[in-house]
Amino acid sequence: GVGGSGRQSLTRIAAFMADFSMFSIEISKSYGMTEWREDLKTVLRRAGAEGSPTVFLFSDSQLKMESFLEDINNILNTGEVPNLYAKDEVMQITEMVRTKAKKAGMDGSNSDLFTFFVGQCRANLHMAICMSPVGDAFRERLRKFPSLVNCCTIDWFSEWPSDALKSVASQFLKDVEMEKEETRDACIDMCMVFHQSVRRLADKFFANQGRFYYVTPTSYLELIGTYKTLLADKRKSVSTLNKRYESGLAQIFEAEDQVSVMKVELIELQPVLAKTVIETDEILVVVDKETKDANKVREVVAKDEEYAAGRAAEAKAIKDECEGELAVAIPMLEAAMAALNTLTKGDVTEVKAMKNPPGGVKLVMEAVCILKGIKCEMIKDPAGGLKKVQDYWGPSQKLLSDSNFLPSLHSYD
């Protein structure tokens, strides 16, 4: 039968019902003769050595090399593939079947043991070969490998009858939600009619064009699946539109209710609005007057701001000048403090004992007296005459006699 007619599915179901194990090869890009021979060893060892009833399912879609069919032809004809096993593998197989062969009454020679193994393969291994009759390849393969016909039971998979189509559609559509059972029955009949109509059109196509168009059970299952998918999508779309429609209507009704309430509120607020307009006009007059007053005040403030800015600039200039002079005075102050730290009580006693100190000493002590706020004495001018001059040396000597003199200089601020 053609692809999609249920050949492999039916084989798997039959193997399960008969309690047979299933074996099938897995085709890949790198799959070649070596992998094929290893798979053959596996399935033959399972059926012959282990004694497990096995179904070897092989499809023409897995036929990467024509030599695969040659090996299958040998298995169908004799139950073995010539030169498949190496000597060590043959020894391993004979050891695996030795016990069973003895129970069957055979002697222990390797040839008899291997013959027993082949017999077990023929008894336990069932080949299920799925071929498509489309094209000339099937005819050519039957001609080259006659065991495909002579050693096989050919089961042609024909089209499903109406009862089968209805049964399958009922099974697949039973979980679909329908309002009425009549609707479900109509959908089942619709699927069946569609499939049968396509089959009739395929026959007409062959009659007119001489070309086959195969309508398989897989096509029928895809039709039902497509119907279920489209139905679900359409129901979802309609449900979404229905929800949007209901939501829109609810919003319209809600807006209508709000508009009615707002109309009543506006009617009630009209006297208040009229009073508010009058009050607003009065407030605008007051605001206009206050704005004019504020503009006048703004002008005065602007002038005061301009004057303050000028004064701030002058103050900044004075500050900069003071900072400049302070930058010069600070090093001098630091030097004076350093010199003050070198003075001792002995130095003070020495200066105090001077009768006629040098001019520099007098000048320094005069400055100290002025800073401490000590008044000078008026004495006769040493240069002669009746004029009196200021003298700080006398007060300076009294100041130098004070025991707290040096500490007071250190703490002077």
Side-chain angles (χ1 to χ4, degrees):
V2 296
S5 57
R7 302 166 301 174
Q8 297 187 42
S9 300
L10 186 60
T11 301
R12 295 180 188 276
I13 294 174
F16 176 77
M17 294 175 64
D19 200 19
F20 276 51
S21 63
M22 178 65 62
F23 183 85
S24 182
I25 65 174
E26 295 182 3
I27 296 297
S28 62
K29 291 183 179 180
S30 59
Y31 194 90
M33 199 63 190
T34 303
E35 291 77 14
W36 165 252
R37 287 297 176 92
E38 290 297 325
D39 286 337
L40 286 182
K41 292 177 183 178
T42 301
V43 69
L44 292 175
R45 188 180 292 110
R46 182 187 297 178
E50 299 177 4
S52 174
T54 305
V55 175
F56 183 12
L57 178 60
F58 184 79
S59 173
D60 54 2
S61 61
Q62 299 171 327
L63 192 63
K64 290 190 70 174
M65 301 179 182
E66 290 294 324
S67 55
F68 291 2
L69 278 180
E70 183 178 355
D71 292 338
I72 292 176
N73 184 76
N74 290 326
I75 294 175
L76 292 173
N77 195 22
T78 62
E80 64 172 325
V81 178
N83 302 320
L84 178 64
Y85 298 102
K87 290 184 179 181
D88 56 337
E89 293 176 333
V90 173
M91 295 299 295
Q92 183 181 4
I93 290 173
T94 55
E95 290 299 325
M96 293 177 68
V97 300
R98 186 179 297 277
T99 303
K100 293 182 180 179
K102 285 184 179 181
K103 291 181 179 180
M106 301 183 69
D107 59 12
S109 63
N110 290 336
S111 60
D112 287 344
L113 292 175
F114 192 77
T115 301
F116 178 79
F117 167 74
V118 174
Q120 290 293 102
C121 290
R122 294 171 63 90
N124 293 323
L125 181 63
H126 294 261
M127 302 290 295
I129 306 170
C130 301
M131 293 287 183
S132 174
V134 179
D136 297 332
F138 181 60
R139 186 184 299 107
E140 185 67 19
R141 288 165 182 166
L142 292 181
R143 186 183 63 81
K144 287 183 179 180
F145 308 107
S147 294
L148 295 177
V149 176
N150 300 332
C151 301
C152 291
T153 299
I154 300 177
D155 187 0
W156 287 89
F157 280 71
S158 59
E159 60 188 26
W160 286 358
S162 300
D163 294 340
L165 295 176
K166 276 190 174 184
S167 176
V168 171
S170 300
Q171 182 68 23
F172 276 88
L173 294 178
K174 68 179 182 180
D175 57 342
V176 179
E177 183 181 355
M178 299 283 185
E179 293 182 358
K180 299 178 181 179
E181 286 301 320
E182 291 81 358
T183 305
R184 190 186 309 277
D185 295 338
C187 291
I188 294 172
D189 293 338
M190 174 196 68
C191 295
M192 180 188 68
V193 170
F194 281 178
H195 187 72
Q196 291 176 341
S197 299
V198 174
R199 284 199 310 215
R200 289 193 294 270
L201 290 175
D203 294 338
K204 290 183 179 179
F205 182 71
F206 175 73
N208 295 331
Q209 303 294 330
R211 295 168 59 188
F212 285 100
Y213 179 79
Y214 295 96
V215 184
T216 63
T218 301
S219 305
Y220 186 60
L221 298 179
E222 290 177 353
L223 167 66
I224 298 174
T226 302
Y227 169 73
K228 292 174 66 176
T229 302
L230 291 176
L231 179 62
D233 292 342
K234 198 64 179 177
R235 283 180 172 177
K236 182 178 179 182
S237 176
V238 172
S239 176
T240 302
L241 293 175
N242 187 38
K243 289 180 180 178
R244 290 179 181 175
Y245 176 74
E246 291 177 351
S247 176
L249 283 178
Q251 292 178 2
I252 290 173
F253 293 147
E254 182 181 357
E256 185 177 358
D257 295 338
Q258 292 178 354
V259 168
S260 300
V261 173
M262 291 172 65
K263 284 181 178 179
V264 175
E265 292 177 351
L266 286 174
I267 294 173
E268 294 176 352
L269 287 174
Q270 281 183 353
V272 179
L273 290 174
K275 181 181 178 181
T276 304
V277 170
I278 296 172
E279 292 176 352
T280 303
D281 293 338
E282 294 175 353
I283 292 172
L284 288 176
V285 173
V286 175
V287 169
D288 184 58
K289 180 181 178 182
E290 292 179 352
T291 302
K292 293 178 181 179
D293 295 339
N295 290 333
K296 294 178 181 179
V297 174
R298 186 182 296 109
E299 293 175 359
V300 175
V301 170
K303 291 179 181 180
D304 293 343
E305 183 181 0
E306 183 179 357
Y307 175 76
R311 297 296 294 172
E314 293 176 1
K316 185 176 182 303
I318 294 172
K319 176 186 175 185
D320 295 341
E321 183 181 356
C322 291
E323 289 179 350
E325 294 178 355
L326 184 61
V328 176
I330 286 177
M332 296 172 64
L333 175 62
E334 292 176 351
M337 291 297 295
L340 177 62
N341 291 332
T342 61
L343 293 178
T344 63
K345 290 183 178 181
D347 296 331
V348 175
T349 303
E350 181 181 351
V351 172
K352 183 176 65 174
M354 292 180 180
K355 298 296 182 181
N356 188 18
V361 175
K362 285 185 176 183
L363 180 61
V364 172
M365 290 308 299
E366 182 179 349
V368 171
C369 290
I370 293 172
L371 291 174
K372 284 183 169 290
I374 298 174
K375 295 182 179 181
C376 62
E377 294 180 353
M378 303 302 294
I379 63 173
K380 290 182 179 182
D381 187 0
L386 299 176
K387 183 180 179 182
K388 291 185 177 184
V389 294
Q390 293 180 353
D391 180 52
Y392 281 93
W393 179 244
S396 297
Q397 287 180 321
K398 295 177 182 179
L399 183 60
L400 290 170
S401 299
D402 187 1
S403 61
N404 199 32
F405 173 66
L406 284 177
S408 68
L409 292 179
H410 284 95
S411 61
Y412 179 77
D413 187 4

